Structure formats: C-alpha cells, structure tokens
Amino acid sequence: MKDKIVKYLSSKDHFWWTVTLLPGSYAIIYLYLKNYTVVNSWQQLSSFIACFVLIPSFLFLLLDLLFKRKMPERRAQLYWSFLLINFSIIFSLSIYLGWRWKALILVALLAIAASFFMAKHYKKIVLLLSIMCLVAAGQLLFFISSSVLSSEDWVQPMAFESSVFQKKPNVYLLQPDGYVGQQAANNDSYQLDNHSFYDTMKAQGFQFNADFRSNYPTTLASNSTLFTAHHHYLHYGEINNELMNARDIILGDNPVLTTFVNNGYKTNLILEHSYLLLNYPEVSYDTNNVNRSELSPLLPNYFLGKDYKKDFETQVLSATEDPQFYFVEILHPGHISFSKDREDAITFEKNKYREEIKSISSQLIDMVQFIELNDPEAIILIVADHGGFVGYTHTGAAYMQPEKDLALKESVFNALYAVKAPQGFDPFQKTVRSSIGVFPALFDYLSGDLAPSTSSFDNSSYLLIKSDARKVLYQYYDTHGNSVMEKVEKP
C-alpha cells in the first residue's frame, strides 16, 4: 500500500474522478450521517448523485480536455483549483443546506491564486479526502446497520381500528406548532397574558384541558404518538430526539387514519410548509394541498409559505357529502430559536414568542369561526404538538442535561388542547391528558362506547438527553402527570 501511495504522489498522471467522485461521495455520506431522516428517499439520493457527482464530473471532463489540448502543463493547477472549489461548494450545501455565496467566492479566488504555488500538492489533499471518505463510509454503514436496518416496526394495529362509528360528524384537527398550554402560560417562564384568546374560544363553545401534555418534545416524535395512540420511546435514543420513518407514519396508513377510512371518511391534509414532506413520504390522505412538484428537488427546505387558510377554506367548501377528516398543520408559533448568541436570549425569545402567539391566535379564531359558519355540527380539536421551550436560552439547552425545574418542564411539554364538540363528548374530553389519548377518546365517543378512564393510556412524557457522547432517555412525567426524572433502560 505504501509503495502505491508513493507511486501515485510521484507520478505525473492525473485521475479525473479524484476531484469529482471523491468530494461528491463524501458530501453525500455526510448528508446521510447528519440528516438521515430528511434525506432518506430515492428521489433525493438520485438528485444528490446527479448534482454532487455527475454534473461536476461532466463539467470537469470538459475543462480537463481543454487543458490537455491548450495548456497541458497547467493541468495540476486545474486539479488543485477544481478540487478545492468543488469540495467547498458541495460540502457547504451539505452542512448549511443552502448557499454561502461570499465565502464560496472567496474560497474560489484563494484556491486559484494558491494553485500557482501549491498545485503540485493536490494529490496529498486527495489522499486525505480518501481517508475521510473511508472513515465516513464506515460510520454510515454502522449507523445503517445499528439504527436503520435494526429499527423495530413499533407501530402495531390498535383495537379501535375496528370501531364502528354511530355518529359521523366532520372532524377537524388544527395543530399550531409549539403552542403552549394554559398551565405553562401562567408560570414564571412565560407570564403570558392570553385571556382574550381563551375567552373568545370559550364563547365559541370550546373547552380546554389546561394540564394537557405532549408525550415527546418534538413535532415528529409527538405526532407519531398522536396518530398511533401508543409509545415508541424514541427507539431508546437511536437517532436523538427524532424518530425513524416518522413522516411516513404520520402521513401514511397509521391506526388513526385507517380508523377514519374504515368508517367511510374522506381525509384531507392541509399544510403551511413542507416540513412533514421533506423526505418524500407516501401520503395516504385523499387530498393534499402540497404537490410533489413543489417540494425541494435537492436539499431539504421546509419553507413553502402556502396560503393554508385559503386552501383549507377551498377544501371545506368543495368537500363531498362523505364525512370528512381534516388535519391542518401550522408551523406557528413554533418554539424558541436554536441559537444562543444573544446575551439576553431568554427575554428576547420570550418576547418574540409572545408576538407569535398573538398572531396565530387570531388566525385560529378566524378558522374556527369559518368552520362554525359552514359546518356547525363539526367536532373541532386544537392540539399543539409540544410547548414553546420559553425559559431556555435556546431549544438545544433542553436536551443537554436532565431538568428538575417544573416550569421548564412545563415549557417543553405543556401544550394547547381545546375541543369544540357536543355536550356528550365532555366525559371523554376530560379523560385526555396527553397526545396518546386524543383519538382513542374521540373514537370511543363516536362509537357510542363508555368514556374510558385516564388509566387506559400511558400518559408519560419522555425526553432524550445527550451528554458526553451518551444518549439517555428520561421520563419527565409519569402517567398520572407527576413530575419525575427517571432514566429509562432499554429492555
């Protein structure tokens, strides 16, 4: 091996694939290691290969042919410059999922300038890149074998899937992302005066469960439990606080959607942004206001800015006579920033969150009034996926160490839960304490069954702490809503 390396370094031969295939391969491997759950589709893989490998290779082969004919003595400079520029561009895309034009232009100028003095050393960079590729490929293979291929199919059929509804009103699930519940809104972290919203909604006939909690701290993990009605325990930390194939579970043939379909419902998905569609999951809803052509063809970009209120109203007014289920996901107010740069981060993020709450609250009121006008017999569920994380300097701080402060725990898990339904639903609504019980309670009511007790569900809440390269799952609330802090061991 040593002789081959020395021979390669000392030879005057140049191999085109060393400055195109190697950088492209490393960038793709890096993307899958760092962002697997948002890029694990064949459509995206084919796009990465085309943009990171095939296009640069085609462009470079043309340049290399030109240099062979016109400036053969400058080929080393071409290889040096193209290697650094190409690697900078595609690796920048892999890290930032977007362009950094000023930095890339500066790198290009420096690479070209340095080529007059350093070009003969480009093969050393090739060797370093080769080693990096081998190490990264080994890490990716380990991740795939230990986390992807070995991941269990935790979604099991639920008894309520065979329910026969005695009542079939239209059901609306409105989900404002990160909208904190009333209990946390009144604690010292938030100090959120939102009485006008609650008063208006109560006047519309809504009831609130002030101590309602999400079972998990993120949208994907929380909604996976909401739409399956059982726990996944984040696979005990295999991929941090997200969940393998969560988008496929949420938008696919999950137990909740299957139950609606089995009872003759048409299902409608209304999204503001493409967050739930980033990795091109199979969507089982009958209607969807986002076309695949609108999705990012290369790097995942959740922002779409759809006029979800208009799309929602259009879909409601054009609905068939079949009973309808609507899932409307709105990525507001969201949670506080991932950044911790500001010295006054806690106060700044709290004030910013308050403004977001005001904005989305008025929109929720508008949507509810529209539903009331056009579908007065409907059941309306407003179920946030988690809290707003206010009280932390940034969102990531919640995952750094186990938390004992009750106000901060509430900030993560306490979420808005409001229901507009006939009076007969009251006993069922009161049993719902966390995301896991939302739809089982609804299905029992629609089927004419007796209201379940809160003990029918495991209402525990969990969060994954990553510290010193270790990932430990903690239970933050037990099934009765008591604040705890207990490690969860994998059986």
Side-chain angles (χ1 to χ4, degrees), residues 326-338:
Y326 298 88
F327 173 33
V328 184
E329 191 210 36
I330 312 165
L331 292 187
H332 294 284
H335 50 65
I336 65 173
S337 171
F338 285 99

Side-chain angles (χ1 to χ4, degrees), residues 436-478:
I436 203 168
V438 170
F439 282 107
L442 174 65
F443 294 155
D444 282 340
Y445 166 73
L446 295 178
S447 301
D449 296 333
L450 296 176
S453 65
T454 54
S455 60
S456 300
F457 318 111
D458 178 6
N459 292 295
S460 305
S461 296
Y462 299 90
L463 184 144
L464 190 70
I465 299 295
K466 185 176 181 181
S467 178
D468 299 326
R470 295 182 65 248
K471 292 176 286 189
V472 181
L473 187 68
Y474 279 86
Q475 184 187 56
Y476 268 23
Y477 288 91
D478 65 17

